Structure formats: structure tokens, C-alpha cells
């Protein structure tokens, strides 16, 4: 067993490059994940833990939000799920001695990778004002410190309560209840940086801000479009679903500036064809689009559909939609030349795509961050909705919208009320059930919370999970905003950058992870989660907790609420902490679709939440119909000599958690400070393969931001585009560069100049 973290840092970043691969998964993936898992957990624990992932009596994989098939394999996890589990179930520990040996100033010089590799947090730690080191603190004292700061605020709106998407339904429901009873809607979450654009676009057009398909629908589809998503790395179990869809006759179009290996070919490690054979070719048509060209592409496809006799579903349009004429006029005006230049595609490619679209009776569009993190993301996703509505592809089997969510319970957290702009009906229900008047004014999202901290309007920052400082845009602005806070508090499993860039005082509150046993006064507990397709099910950890000092997330919220709100609160916090079933009773009373929650969740397969467009083709929008929309077409353009940079994930990371330094499918090893550039663009810019550059972001207000020391890799991305990993490149994303309407940071289209330097 190798429970020791790496000794040195900065960890050597010396990228080596081989040609990109053309297939994903297969045996190398299994070997790779087992190696990482065994380094963290040892052999026995690896076997015991991984067999419990996503089983009906086990825990929900803390990796992604892709749903579980009803018939599960003995090993219903993937390489990257195994890495996520190993990261949590590691045997390495961060103890008070560690903090005694490492002043915060020292930890602030370490990489995020090094911090994460130190292991699980074991005790509550406190950084007093002016102190150099974190020191151990009791839970009671920690809650006193938070309560003192919260009650000293001029207004509850000077506190910010962030959530990351691993938090269970029960913890999330309690957390928003506490924040609102305290008096604020300042509940930003990672969704603000992720699928907020999908939520905004879908709520307006279909009336429900979630996907409209179930796993079975993928198996029934004729055509699946995968746009702006890299499932081979980020949702590997989706590849098994695509494989099955193909076996049933589906065609796949992938739309991406990068040829992602996982979408080209899948070698399923769970069948003989995948292990010994060549695997399954997935993509039938690859549209290598320029960054941000998707709205233009879908607009032109819509024009072409409209121009094809009999291609639209007239009855559906008449019965169920609104705004068709205005949309159709805008679509008819789409221009071929403009589309070709916006997308970088050939006419022949678009013709081929059109033929596949017209040949399909049941079409699903899946997407992720490649569509959501641009200035014009909301109109882009609305154009995808137009595309589906035209042929009646919403609310029937094998068809619909499929935004593929990130964090394993990010969708559930939103359902539970983690939202800075809660619906009035939700607040009314809270008021009825709990007998206090929740605040009605909208709170801060992520970007507004950073501005509020920067401008002194927010003074206490509390995070339920996540790594706000590293995940947020404009690193320097965010870090200095965080340092102005009176108090920063993080409920966390692992050490990260947000623990070392702190307010005047700081607390780290260590918590149980998914894999661990949770026993409270009322006996062993389980929690629930909702996947990307609106299926709710239980999750039960089995491992001994990483330390006897850990509290569960629900327990932390309940104790904090009792301490802050005092005897005046009529909410039974003590009872909630003892028995999470009591929390579920209240969720059932407040949130539609959770009736008889405790009974229904005892079904090991879980249950599906209602979704009006999917279930009955009814659309709870302002017009009572599905809305066509007609926004002007936009696309980003880089001036002469500049490139459009997207900031994305490598294969060895989970957001800001770095598992290793390889990006296997893209052929990059042992380094993360790389920038992928098309060989011809590189040549025009005079940059040889392997040249060293600084990435200099240029924002429209004339400001520049610099990320130094990246190695240029000649790579087959779309022309005019570049790609580099997040979070290293967050320093380049201006705080004000956000999507219209959703306010999501536009981290997939940053204008950059590459300045050649000498290697460090
Ligand atoms: N192993 C692992 N799993 C994860 C995560 C992780 O970090 N690691 N993160 C989780 C989270 S929170 C999320 S949100 C998801 C993220 O899942 P993804 O969205 O797949 O993640 P990204 O790496 O950001 O990849 C974006 C993809 O969009 C493409 N793209 C970029 N710009 C454009 C564009 O303008 N148009 C089109 N058509 N394509 C574009 C990129 O080339 C890339 O393939 O994954 C979740 N699962
Ligand atoms: N430039 C750029 N920026 C981006 C993105 C991008 O594509 N490009 N993607 C955005 C997206 S999609 C997202 S979702 C955000 C992610 O933003 P976050 O969700 O804030 O970040 P993570 O890196 O997922 O958080 C990791 C930390 O969560 C803690 N943690 C893990 N498990 C648990 C748990 O069970 N309980 C608790 N309490 N804590 C736990 C650990 O301490 C770990 O260090 O980043 C966004 N930022
Ligand atoms: Mo995400």
C-alpha cells in the first residue's frame, strides 16, 4: 500500500506528447484506474469499495451525474468514477500536525494537485485573525465563531452560502432552509458556472429547466447529436449508452472543435468485443466546428428543415408551440456564407448533417460545457430547442433535450432550492411548512458574490463543498475578493486552494464523503441524489469514516442552525440531525414530485421525478406552450493574430481536483501547462511545436490577463481555436465576461494572444 503523498512541489510539469488516440476505454482504462485507486487505498480497500459503486445497496458514484442503467453490471463504474472514489476513500490523512508543519503562506505556494494529494481532512481547523497557521478547534467553538460573525453582520445579505454539486438532497434542503431562515437568498452554486445557461434556456422555452429524456430514450433514438461534450473523459458511462443506441440503429453526430477519442470509438471493457476486438465506432459524422459556432449551425439547419417540403411536424407546432412565425422568419434569413465562416464547416458537411436529421424520426441532442460557457450560450441552447421543436422531437419516446449535468447531485441541489432566484411558489411552500417568512429578494450568484465580496457588500463566505477560489473566473480578482472577507468557512473532504486564500479568519470543517458510513442518533442513515435525467435514488456509504471527528453535512447544518438561529427557530433541527427520514418528510411536503418520498425511495431503482413536457407534452411556460425563439445569431471572433481559447478538462482531473498529470486520449503526458493549437495557426504565428508561450487574455475593456509558461502543442483542433486546461487558465477569464441571461462565466471563448518566451 502506498498511502504516502508525493514529497516535492512544485510537482514537475514536463509535458511529453504522443499522437492523440482514436478510441476510449478498454483494458488500458481499467488498468489505469486500478493503479490510481491502489496508490490511494491499497488493494483490499480498492476491491471492496469499487464493487459498491452505483450498486442498488451501495453509494452513488461521486463522479458524474450520468444515470445508472436498471440492469447493472457487477462493476458499474468507469475509469474516472474509480478515480473519484479513490480520491475520497484514500488512506492518506491531513492531521493537525500537518497544519503545524505548514504555515498558510507555505500552503499558498503549493499546487492544487499537491494540496489534494495530502489526503482526507480529519479535524476542524481554525485560522485566527493574524495567525500564521491553522490550529485544531472543537466543533462547538467552530460554530460559535461562525455564529459570532453572522450575527454581527449589518444584514443577513452580507453572508454568502455557496454549494458544490456533491451535496446530498437532504443536506441541500437543510442548508437552503437555514440560509433562508437566517434571512438571505445568497445561495450561489457551481451550477452558476456550469449548466445555468441550459436551465435559463429550457425554463423559458419548455417550462422545465432540466433534460427531457430518460436513459431508455437514448436506446430508442434514430439520431443522437452530441455537442460540446467530451463524454469519454467526463461521462464515460454515457459511452455504454451510446454503444447500445448504435446497436439499436442510432446514428451519432458529434459537434466539437476537438476530435475527442471517446466519441470516435468505444472499447467497452464489459464485453468481449470491447476487450479483444476493435470496439464500436460511435460517431457517424464529426462536425469540427469553430468555438462558439453552434448557434449559427443550428440556425442554418433550421432554415434548411423549413425549406424541405413536409419536414416539419405541423400538428405539433400548431397544437403545442408558440412564436413559430417570428422564429421561422429569422431562420429563413440565415445565410450560408455567414454560417460557413462562423462555424468553419464545409457546405458538404452541413448537407450530410441535414440528411441525417431528415432521416431521423426520433432525435436527441446532448450537450455540456461546450455550449453553456459562452456569451451567447442561452440563445444557442434556445436554437437547439427550436431545432427539436420543428420536428416534434420533444415529449415523445426516443426524442428530446439532454443537457448532461456535471456533479453527481448538482441537479438535485437545485431541485432542493439551492438557487439565488427561487420561484415564489417554492418560497410560499417553505413558508407554509416552516412558519417563517423567507426573504423574497434575489440573492447573489457566483459572479455577483465575487463582486459583492470585492466591494465590501459581503463579509462572510460559507461553502458547502467545492473549491470556489480555484473554480471561479478571474483568479486574481476572486482571490483578492476572498481575502477581504471577515470569515471564510469551508465544509470539505479534501484540502484545496480555497482553504489557503482566506478571509481575516477561516475555518475548515471536515465532513463525511459518499463512500462513508453515516450513523446518527436515530441509527444508520442514507441520503438521496437526483441524476442528470431526474431519477432520484438512495446512496449509502459503507466505509469507516476517515476520522472519528468528522460530521456529516446534514449534522453540520443542523448544529450551525441551532447555534445561529437559537431557540426562536421553530424548525426541529435536532430531530433532523438524528433522522434524515424526517428531512425527507418535509421535502415531500414542500417540493412537488416528492410525495411519499420515504416510501418511494425504498425502491432500490429509485423513482423518476415528473417532467411535464416529457410526460404529457404540457409546457409550464409563460405562454402555456413550448416557445420558439428568434434571437439574432452571434459568434465570437478573434482579431488578427489572436486565437479563441477554450478552457477544458484533462482526463486526469475532476474539476479543480487533479488526479494526475496525463491526458491520455489526447496523447499528453506528465504536464498540464500546455496549449493545443492547430498546426497552420501555429505556423502563421511562428510557433513551433514545443515552443513556450505566455497566454495573454485580451478583454474588450482593454485590460490584459496573463497565464505564463505554456507549451504549444500542434493539435488537430478547429482553425482559429486553442484549448488549455482549467483551473490553470481561470486567471484569463474576466469576471465580467459572462453569458447573457444566465451570467455563467464565458470560459470557453477567451480571446488570447500567444507570446513566445524561453522555457522556465
Ligand atoms: N472525470 C471527470 N468527470 C467530470 C468532470 C471532471 O472534471 N472530470 N467534471 C464534471 C462537471 S462539473 C461537468 S460540468 C462535466 C463537464 O463535461 P464536459 O462539458 O464534457 O467538459 P469539458 O472538458 O469542459 O469539455 C467541453 C467539451 O466541449 C467542447 N467545446 C468547447 N467549446 C465548444 C464550442 O464552442 N462548441 C462545441 N460544439 N464544442 C465545444 C470541447 O472541445 C470539449 O470536448 O463533467 C463532469 N464529469
Ligand atoms: N475556466 C473554467 N472554469 C470552470 C469550468 C470550466 O470548464 N472552465 N467549469 C465550471 C464548472 S462546470 C463547475 S461545476 C465548477 C466546479 O466548481 P466546484 O464544485 O466548486 O469545484 P470542485 O473542484 O468540484 O470541488 C472540489 C472540492 O470539493 C470538496 N469535496 C469533494 N467531495 C465532497 C463532499 O462530498 N462534501 C463536501 N462538503 N466537499 C466535498 C473537496 O474538498 C474538493 O477539494 O468549476 C467551474 N469553473
Ligand atoms: Mo460542472
Amino acid at each position: 500500500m502506498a498511502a504516502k503523498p508525493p514529497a516535492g512541489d512544485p510537482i514537475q510539469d514536463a509535458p511529453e506528447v504522443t499522437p492523440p488516440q482514436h478510441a476510449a476505454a478498454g483494458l488500458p482504462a481499467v488498468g489505469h484506474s486500478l493503479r490510481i485507486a491502489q496508490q490511494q487505498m491499497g488493494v483490499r480497500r480498492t476491491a471492496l469499495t469499487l464493487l459498491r459503486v452505483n450498486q442498488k445497496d451501495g453509494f452513488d458514484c461521486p463522479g458524474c451525474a450520468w444515470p445508472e442503467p436498471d440492469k447493472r453490471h457487477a462493476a458499474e463504474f468507469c475509469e474516472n468514477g474509480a478515480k473519484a472514489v479513490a480520491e475520497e476513500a484514500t488512506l492518506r490523512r491531513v492531521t493537525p500536525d500537518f497544519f503545524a508543519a505548514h504555515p498558510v503562506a507555505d500552503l499558498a505556494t503549493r499546487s492544487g494537485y499537491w494540496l489534494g494529494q495530502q489526503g482526507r481532512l480529519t479535524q476542524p481547523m481554525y485560522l485566527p485573525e493574524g495567525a500564521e497557521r491553522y490550529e485544531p478547534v472543537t466543533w462547538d467553538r467552530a460554530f460559535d465563531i461562525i455564529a459570532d460573525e453572522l450575527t454581527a453582520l449589518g444584514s443577513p445579505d452580507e453572508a454568502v452560502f455557496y454549494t458544490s454539486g456533491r451535496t446530498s438532497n437532504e443536506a441541500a434542503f437543510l442548508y437552503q432552509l437555514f440560509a433562508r431562515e437566517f434571512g438571505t437568498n445568497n445561495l450561489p452554486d457551481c451550477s452558476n458556472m456550469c449548466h445555468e445557461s441550459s436551465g435559463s434556456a429550457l425554463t423559458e422555452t419548455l417550462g422545465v429547466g432540466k433534460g427531457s429524456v430518460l436513459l431508455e430514450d437514448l436506446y430508442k433514438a434514430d439520431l443522437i447529436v452530441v455537442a460540446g461534450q467530451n463524454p469519454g473523459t467526463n461521462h464515460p458511462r454515457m459511452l455504454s449508452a451510446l454503444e447500445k443506441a448504435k446497436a439499436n440503429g442510432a446514428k451519432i453526430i458529434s459537434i466539437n472543435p476537438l476530435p475527442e477519442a471517446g466519441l470516435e470509438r468505444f472499447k467497452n471493457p464489459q464485453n468481449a468485443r470491447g476487450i479483444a476486438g476493435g470496439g464500436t465506432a460511435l460517431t457517424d459524422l464529426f462536425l469540427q466546428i469553430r468555438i462558439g459556432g453552434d448557434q449559427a449551425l443550428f440556425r442554418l439547419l433550421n432554415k434548411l428543415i423549413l425549406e424541405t417540403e413536409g419536414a416539419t411536424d405541423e400538428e405539433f407546432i400548431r397544437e403545442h408551440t408558440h412564436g413559430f412565425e417570428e422564429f421561422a422568419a429569422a431562420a429563413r434569413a440565415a445565410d450560408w456564407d455567414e454560417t460557413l465562416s462562423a462555424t468553419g464547416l464545409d457546405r458538404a458537411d452541413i448537407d450530410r448533417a441535414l440528411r441525417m436529421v431528415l432521416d431521423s424520426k426520433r432525435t436527441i441532442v446532448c450537450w455540456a460545457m461546450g455550449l453553456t460557457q459562452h456569451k451567447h450560450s442561452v440563445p444557442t441552447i434556445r436554437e437547439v430547442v427550436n431545432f427539436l421543436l420543428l420536428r416534434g422531437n420533444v415529449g415523445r419516446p426516443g426524442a428530446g433535450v439532454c443537457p448532461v449535468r456535471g456533479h453527481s447531485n448538482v441537479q438535485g441541489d437545485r431541485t432542493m432550492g439551492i438557487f439565488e432566484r427561487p420561484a415564489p411558489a417554492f418560497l410560499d411552500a417553505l413558508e407554509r411548512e416552516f412558519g417563517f417568512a423567507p426573504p423574497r429578494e434575489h440573492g447573489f450568484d457566483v459572479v455577483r458574490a465575487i463582486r459583492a465580496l470585492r466591494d465590501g457588500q459581503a463579509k462572510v463566505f460559507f461553502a458547502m463543498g467545492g473549491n470556489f477560489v480555484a473554480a471561479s473566473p478571474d483568479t486574481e480578482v476572486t482571490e483578492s475578493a476572498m481575502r477581504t472577507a471577515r470569515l471564510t468557512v469551508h465544509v470539505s473532504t479534501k484540502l484545496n486552494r480555497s482553504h489557503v486564500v482566506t478571509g481575516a479568519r477561516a475555518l475548515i470543517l471536515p465532513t463525511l464523503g459518499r463512500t462513508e458510513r453515516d450513523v446518527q442518533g436515530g441509527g444508520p442513515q442514507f441520503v438521496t441524489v437526483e441524476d442528470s435525467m431526474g431519477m432520484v435514488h438512495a446512496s449509502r456509504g459503507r466505509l469507516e469514516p476517515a476520522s472519528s471527528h468528522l460530521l456529516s453535512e446534514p449534522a453540520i447544518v443542523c448544529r450551525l442552525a441551532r447555534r445561529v438561529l437559537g431557540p426562536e427557530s421553530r424548525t426541529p433541527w435536532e430531530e433532523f440531525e438524528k433522522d434524515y427520514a424526517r428531512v425527507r418528510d418535509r421535502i415531500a411536503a414542500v417540493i412537488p414530485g416528492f410525495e411519499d418520498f420515504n416510501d418511494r425511495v425504498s425502491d432500490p431503482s429509485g423513482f423518476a421525478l415528473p417532467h411535464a413536457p416529457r410526460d404529457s407534452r404540457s409546457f409550464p411556460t409563460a405562454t402555456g406552450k413550448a416557445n420558439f425563439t428568434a434571437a439574432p445569431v452571434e459568434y465570437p471572433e478573434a482579431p488578427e493574430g489572436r486565437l479563441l481559447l477554450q478552457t477544458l478538462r484533462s482526463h486526469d482531473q475532476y474539476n479543480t481536483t487533479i488526479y494526475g498529470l496525463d491526458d491520455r486520449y489526447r496523447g499528453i503526458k506528465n504536464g498540464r501547462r500546455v496549449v493545443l493549437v492547430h498546426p497552420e495557426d501555429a505556423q502563421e504565428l511562428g510557433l513551433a511545436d514545443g515552443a513556450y508561450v505566455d497566454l495573454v487574455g485580451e478583454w474588450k475593456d482593454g485590460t490584459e490577463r496573463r497565464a505564463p509558461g505554456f507549451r504549444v502543442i500542434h493539435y488537430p483542433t478547429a482553425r482559429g481555436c486553442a484549448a488549455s486546461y482549467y483551473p490553470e487558465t481561470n486567471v484569463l477569464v474576466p469576471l465580467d465576461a459572462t453569458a447573457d441571461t444566465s451570467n455563467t462565466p464565458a470560459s470557453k471563448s477567451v480571446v488570447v494572444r500567444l507570446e513566445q518566451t524561453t522555457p522556465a
Side-chain angles (χ1 to χ4, degrees):
M1 167 198 343
K4 266 187 127 150
D9 197 60
I11 285 162
Q12 280 304 317
D13 196 293
E16 298 156 30
V17 183
T18 52
Q21 301 189 5
H22 299 284
L27 280 182
V30 175
H32 184 66
S33 62
L34 290 181
R35 218 159 31 245
I36 291 204
Q38 286 172 14
Q39 280 165 11
Q40 297 275 357
M41 319 195 258
V43 177
R44 210 178 103 79
R45 194 173 166 92
T46 298
L48 282 175
T49 313
L50 294 184
L51 285 175
R52 290 272 177 213
V53 189
N54 292 337
Q55 294 304 310
K56 290 186 175 175
D57 60 346
F59 61 91
D60 181 61
C61 179
C64 71
W66 189 257
E68 276 75 52
D70 209 44
K71 243 175 63 205
R72 300 177 197 190
H73 293 278
E76 193 52 62
F77 60 90
C78 63
E79 173 191 358
N80 276 345
K83 289 192 246 169
V85 168
E87 189 73 18
E88 179 177 303
T90 178
L91 292 168
R92 299 173 188 164
R93 297 289 178 269
V94 174
T95 60
D97 289 346
F98 171 89
F99 289 103
H102 296 282
V104 175
D106 163 34
L107 297 177
T109 64
R110 306 289 180 153
S111 68
Y113 179 37
W114 188 89
L115 292 174
Q117 290 292 309
Q118 302 310 307
R120 285 288 297 277
L121 294 159
T122 53
Q123 284 195 40
M125 300 299 299
Y126 175 45
L127 182 69
E129 187 155 9
E132 287 177 4
R133 293 176 167 77
Y134 275 99
E135 52 195 49
V137 65
T138 64
W139 280 102
D140 281 344
R141 171 95 179 100
F143 293 130
D144 283 344
I145 293 166
I146 303 169
D148 288 349
E149 291 287 355
L150 286 178
T151 43
L153 293 175
S155 144
D157 289 329
E158 291 176 358
V160 170
F161 296 96
Y162 174 72
T163 312
S164 167
R166 269 195 202 177
T167 295
S168 65
N169 289 333
E170 289 74 4
F173 184 79
L174 292 168
Y175 185 56
Q176 62 80 33
L177 181 64
F178 161 64
R180 296 196 163 109
E181 203 172 324
F182 174 66
T184 185
N185 282 318
N186 286 342
L187 286 157
D189 69 346
C190 65
S191 205
N192 296 148
M193 301 184 262
C194 185
H195 267 292
E196 197 69 61
S197 303
S198 309
S200 298
L202 295 176
T203 304
E204 184 190 339
T205 54
L206 301 180
V208 180
K210 300 181 184 181
S212 75
V213 300
L214 296 170
L215 209 43
E216 300 88 86
D217 291 307
L218 281 154
Y219 307 150
K220 294 177 190 150
D222 298 325
L223 175 66
I224 300 171
V225 180
V226 182
Q229 193 198 346
N230 178 22
T233 286
N234 298 313
H235 306 92
R237 286 178 302 117
M238 179 175 169
L239 300 185
S240 322
L242 293 178
E243 184 184 44
K244 191 159 169 189
K246 288 228 75 168
N248 293 347
K251 294 266 189 288
I252 296 176
I253 299 180
S254 49
I255 308 178
N256 203 307
L258 293 174
E260 302 285 26
L263 281 169
E264 289 182 52
R265 183 169 279 281
F266 173 49
K267 297 188 182 172
N268 191 339
Q270 273 152 354
N271 67 33
R273 204 173 133 75
I275 292 176
T280 307
L282 293 179
T283 293
D284 297 280
L285 176 64
F286 172 43
L287 298 179
Q288 187 163 33
I289 199 163
R290 273 173 51 92
I291 286 176
D294 304 83
Q295 189 199 6
L297 172 64
F298 280 100
R299 178 62 59 89
L300 183 73
L301 285 171
N302 288 340
K303 168 196 171 91
L304 300 174
I305 294 170
L306 282 167
E307 287 173 353
T308 308
E309 187 63 33
T312 62
D313 183 339
E314 285 175 25
E315 190 190 327
F316 175 79
I317 294 172
R318 200 172 47 242
E319 297 291 315
H320 296 291
T321 70
H322 174 269
F324 175 75
E325 288 309 329
E326 201 187 330
F327 151 74
R332 286 199 186 94
D335 178 66
W336 265 103
D337 289 339
E338 186 185 14
T339 310
L340 296 181
S341 98
T343 59
L345 298 172
D346 292 342
R347 203 177 168 118
D349 281 339
I350 297 182
D351 282 334
R352 242 174 261 139
L354 177 68
R355 234 168 297 134
M356 290 168 73
V357 169
L358 295 175
D359 283 346
S360 163
K361 292 204 168 62
R362 291 173 292 263
T363 300
I364 291 174
V365 182
C366 302
W367 72 88
M369 297 305 100
L371 292 205
T372 65
Q373 298 176 331
H374 298 285
K375 176 178 182 295
H376 62 309
S377 282
V378 176
T380 298
I381 296 163
R382 287 207 223 111
E383 200 61 33
V384 169
V385 172
N386 290 336
F387 168 78
L388 290 168
L389 292 178
L390 265 183
R391 289 174 54 76
N393 277 313
V394 175
R396 57 187 174 78
V401 287
C402 184
V404 182
R405 307 295 305 252
H407 268 300
S408 50
N409 198 40
V410 61
Q411 184 158 314
D413 291 343
R414 191 50 74 78
T415 308
M416 292 298 118
I418 301 293
F419 193 25
E420 75 285 354
R421 291 173 284 134
F426 174 80
L427 296 178
D428 294 344
L430 268 192
E431 183 158 1
R432 263 198 315 276
E433 183 64 22
F434 292 97
F436 70 92
R440 298 274 161 171
E441 218 168 286
H442 289 175
F444 301 134
D445 61 11
V446 163
V447 166
R448 291 188 180 94
I450 295 167
R451 287 196 195 114
L453 285 161
R454 179 193 66 191
D455 302 341
Q457 289 162 13
K459 301 192 172 91
V460 172
F461 177 87
F462 188 104
M464 184 57 74
N467 182 2
F468 188 87
V469 163
S472 294
D474 226 346
T475 312
E476 285 175 25
V477 174
T478 296
E479 292 198 348
S480 66
M482 205 51 84
R483 291 188 200 279
T484 67
R486 290 281 320 138
L487 173 69
T488 49
V489 185
H490 287 88
V491 178
S492 310
T493 52
K494 303 287 295 277
L495 193 63
N496 66 43
R497 179 84 187 155
S498 300
H499 304 130
V500 301
V501 178
T502 70
R505 310 159 86 187
L507 283 161
I508 301 174
L509 306 181
T511 193
L512 295 177
R514 286 274 170 83
T515 52
E516 289 164 325
R517 245 194 326 269
D518 183 352
V519 182
Q520 302 293 342
Q525 305 294 317
F526 64 88
V527 293
T528 62
V529 294
E530 173 186 341
D531 67 32
S532 197
M533 295 180 176
M535 296 292 299
V536 177
H537 62 88
S539 173
R540 266 185 202 86
R542 306 274 170 168
L543 293 179
E544 180 73 24
S547 139
S548 59
H549 298 284
L550 305 185
L551 288 183
S552 72
E553 291 182 349
I556 291 172
V557 179
C558 290
R559 291 187 192 190
L560 177 65
R562 279 168 63 200
R563 178 64 189 78
V564 173
L565 303 172
E568 269 150 60
S569 172
R570 284 186 281 156
T571 306
W573 298 106
E574 234 171 320
E575 211 180 286
F576 286 164
E577 177 179 341
K578 271 195 206 126
D579 184 359
Y580 303 168
R582 301 288 75 78
V583 183
R584 285 187 288 274
D585 286 340
R586 301 305 193 92
I587 293 172
V590 170
I591 303 174
F594 285 87
E595 297 75 17
D596 302 319
F597 192 4
N598 277 307
D599 276 351
R600 283 155 80 211
V601 83
S602 62
D603 179 340
S605 306
F607 61 93
L609 289 174
H611 187 289
R614 180 194 67 210
D615 302 337
S616 59
R617 284 199 157 176
S618 48
F619 299 92
T621 60
T623 61
K625 304 258 178 181
N627 290 317
F628 279 103
T629 50
V633 169
E634 288 178 64
Y635 45 93
E637 279 172 301
E640 186 65 30
R642 312 297 190 265
L643 298 171
L644 279 175
L645 175 79
Q646 60 152 323
T647 62
L648 80 180
R649 292 155 174 79
S650 92
H651 194 64
D652 272 1
Q653 76 183 83
Y654 192 93
N655 298 339
T656 69
T657 297
I658 310 302
Y659 302 135
L661 299 179
D662 298 347
D663 193 2
R664 197 171 72 248
Y665 298 146
R666 299 197 185 106
I668 296 156
K669 265 204 190 139
N670 200 33
R672 294 182 46 88
R673 294 190 82 84
V674 294
V675 57
L676 314 185
V677 182
H678 192 282
E680 286 168 39
D681 288 325
Q683 199 177 15
E684 280 174 19
L685 296 169
L687 296 168
D689 195 22
Y692 277 83
V693 294
D694 287 355
L695 305 179
V696 185
E698 298 180 356
W699 177 231
K700 63 182 183 196
D701 66 0
T703 53
E704 292 193 347
R705 289 166 176 74
R706 185 174 293 264
F710 283 72
R711 197 179 134 167
V712 173
I713 296 185
H714 287 192
Y715 198 88
T717 181
R719 287 298 306 270
C721 301
S724 197
Y725 303 130
Y726 122 85
E728 288 83 349
T729 46
N730 265 344
V731 63
L732 299 172
V733 183
L735 189 62
D736 295 337
T738 61
D740 298 334
T741 313
S742 66
N743 212 26
T744 294
S747 44
K748 290 287 189 280
S749 41
V750 184
V751 173
V752 291
R753 163 175 104 231
L754 274 48
E755 275 185 12
Q756 183 146 14
T757 60
T758 45

